[in-house]
Amino acid sequence: MSDDDNSPISARAAKQLFADLRNAPALVLAVSGGPDSVALMWLAARWRRSLARGPELTVVTVDHGLRKEAAREAREVKRLATELGLAHRTLRWRGAKPTTGLPAAAREARYRLLAQAARTAGASHVLTAHTRDDQAETLLMRLFRGSGIAGLSAMARFSTRDGLVLARPLLDVPKSQLIATLKRAGIGFTEDPTNRDPAFTRPRLRALLPQLAAEGGDIRTLVRLSARLARANAAVEILTDGAERFLRVRDRDHQPRQGIRSFEVTAFATLPEEVRLRLLLRAIDTVGHEGPAELGKVETLLATLDQAMNRTSASRRAIPKQALLKQTLAGALISLAGGRIHVAPAPARRSKGGSRAEEGGS
């Protein structure tokens, strides 16, 4: 770790962190009370005070109702926000909590509530306090889950969700520098004990980081890898865009029914495997109603399609009109017939009682 990683963030550096948000009408800051988000709030407030005109800032704390200390921590965030001259709201995740997949469910609830708060405040962006450390941990989590290039690109500085822009201005900043900033300013913060709970994946991976660093896989190296994969992913996405245009030109005399995606087999088969995979993913996610599709399942589907196409090519017979393959995935019906791959919405699943279930049901 360099000396810079342990030095407070200067006012000039803070301006650079938020510079591209200056023209936003309003911003929502997601602040839990931990060091990262409290530093985000303090830095954003100092930056806003330096501007003659700028966005309105609203601090939002989400109480998931999972720890009795959460209400007190939300009150402490409100106190500090008020001292900084910022509006504050506490939103609560109400209702029953799942017994499995709790971190993912809590994350979905948090973003849903933040999106609601942003719309109420007229904000174009929701700011989160993800750091360089979070980026490295996210890369490891996705690596061990077998993610593809897109997943291993980890988090972007800007992304869209629920019609809003998620901004992560601290993504290149180490957590140690944020803590140094708060200590210099005399600002207190809390530590969520779940961040050290080995029952959850992220804390277990965090505990491995010193060992990985000893082997050369420190946080900077992991983040650099993530950036390189993001660069590669962007290039493949451009190739996939070009492949879509190529297939449309080849298919200009073929007009599939509305709501259906269709690829001519001969042209589709000439494309690189990764591009074909992404074309299928896009089509399934567009027309399906149970998405997004899992990468591994789409990989299996592509292998099955390739086998069926190869058998047809090897037989040297006329292309049969009847379906050589028909399979559902993520609410889409994929079929191979008449020399074409068709991706259409799948019929809604039937419930055990015989009536049709709602879209997206299992």
Side-chain angles (χ1 to χ4, degrees):
M1 182 179 295
S2 69
D3 291 339
D4 288 344
D5 288 351
N6 291 301
S7 61
I9 298 172
S10 67
R12 181 178 180 181
K15 287 183 179 180
Q16 294 175 343
L17 292 174
F18 299 101
D20 44 11
L21 297 167
R22 180 171 182 166
N23 295 324
L27 303 172
V28 160
L29 311 179
V31 182
S32 65
D36 303 349
S37 61
V38 169
L40 172 70
M41 176 171 61
W42 189 82
L43 289 166
R46 184 171 64 169
W47 163 71
R48 179 60 185 86
R49 286 196 302 269
S50 72
L51 303 176
R53 296 179 60 185
E56 293 294 322
L57 304 184
T58 300
V59 177
V60 174
T61 302
V62 175
D63 181 352
H64 294 92
L66 301 174
R67 297 184 298 111
K68 60 182 181 181
E69 303 88 356
R72 174 183 55 78
E73 292 166 359
R75 290 193 297 271
E76 184 60 25
V77 172
K78 181 178 181 178
R79 182 193 64 78
L80 180 56
T82 302
E83 289 181 3
L84 294 171
L86 303 179
H88 177 272
R89 294 183 63 192
T90 297
L91 302 179
R92 292 173 176 83
W93 181 26
R94 303 186 185 280
K97 309 300 189 290
T99 55
T100 59
L102 183 59
R107 183 170 58 253
E108 288 297 319
R110 179 166 63 252
Y111 282 121
R112 183 176 67 251
L113 291 169
L114 289 169
Q116 292 173 5
R119 294 189 181 96
T120 300
S124 56
H125 296 68
V126 173
L127 275 60
T128 65
H130 291 102
T131 66
R132 182 194 295 169
D133 305 58
D134 295 316
Q135 184 76 297
E137 293 164 9
T138 299
L139 172 67
L140 291 176
M141 289 178 69
R142 295 180 179 180
L143 176 66
F144 295 147
R145 290 174 182 168
S147 294
I149 297 175
L152 294 176
S153 301
M155 295 178 285
R157 179 174 168 81
F158 293 101
S159 60
T160 57
R161 189 184 183 110
D162 298 328
L164 295 167
V165 179
L166 286 181
R168 303 176 178 91
L170 307 181
L171 199 55
D172 294 328
V173 179
K175 183 186 186 78
S176 56
Q177 196 171 17
L178 297 178
I179 293 175
T181 301
L182 294 178
K183 288 182 176 179
R184 170 72 65 86
I187 304 295
F189 53 85
T190 60
E191 286 283 5
D192 185 344
T194 59
N195 288 331
R196 300 186 300 274
D197 189 345
F200 299 110
T201 303
R202 192 176 286 270
R204 292 198 301 271
L205 290 176
R206 189 175 297 136
L208 292 176
L209 284 171
Q211 296 169 266
L212 294 175
E215 298 297 333
D218 60 11
I219 288 176
R220 285 180 180 273
T221 301
L222 294 173
V223 170
R224 185 164 59 246
L225 171 61
S226 177
R228 288 170 174 167
L229 290 169
R231 194 168 62 218
N233 181 64
V236 178
E237 280 292 285
I238 290 173
L239 290 175
T240 306
D241 292 340
E244 278 191 319
R245 291 192 293 270
F246 163 72
L247 292 176
R248 281 199 298 269
V249 170
R250 286 283 301 259
D251 253 0
R252 57 182 175 270
D253 295 329
H254 177 83
Q255 296 296 327
R257 297 196 309 274
Q258 186 174 6
I260 296 178
R261 296 295 179 91
S262 180
F263 307 116
E264 195 270 318
V265 164
T266 303
F268 183 81
T270 64
L271 299 171
E273 183 176 359
E274 180 68 19
V275 173
R276 285 183 287 134
L277 180 68
R278 292 182 185 227
L279 288 172
L280 278 177
L281 265 169
R282 289 182 181 186
I284 292 169
D285 287 346
T286 297
V287 307
H289 49 77
E290 296 177 8
E294 293 180 26
L295 176 61
K297 292 182 178 179
V298 181
E299 287 173 333
T300 300
L301 169 65
L302 179 60
T304 303
L305 280 169
D306 283 346
Q307 291 173 2
M309 289 187 292
N310 289 337
R311 285 196 301 270
T312 302
S313 176
S315 67
R316 299 180 183 276
R317 292 181 297 180
I319 299 174
K321 293 184 178 181
Q322 68 271 22
L324 298 173
L325 178 145
K326 186 177 288 187
Q327 184 174 325
T328 59
L329 177 59
L333 175 64
I334 302 94
S335 59
L336 173 63
R340 304 192 67 84
I341 298 168
H342 303 278
V343 184
R349 297 171 185 259
R350 291 185 178 274
S351 65
K352 292 182 179 179
S355 61
R356 288 194 178 277
E358 292 183 359
E359 286 191 355
S362 57

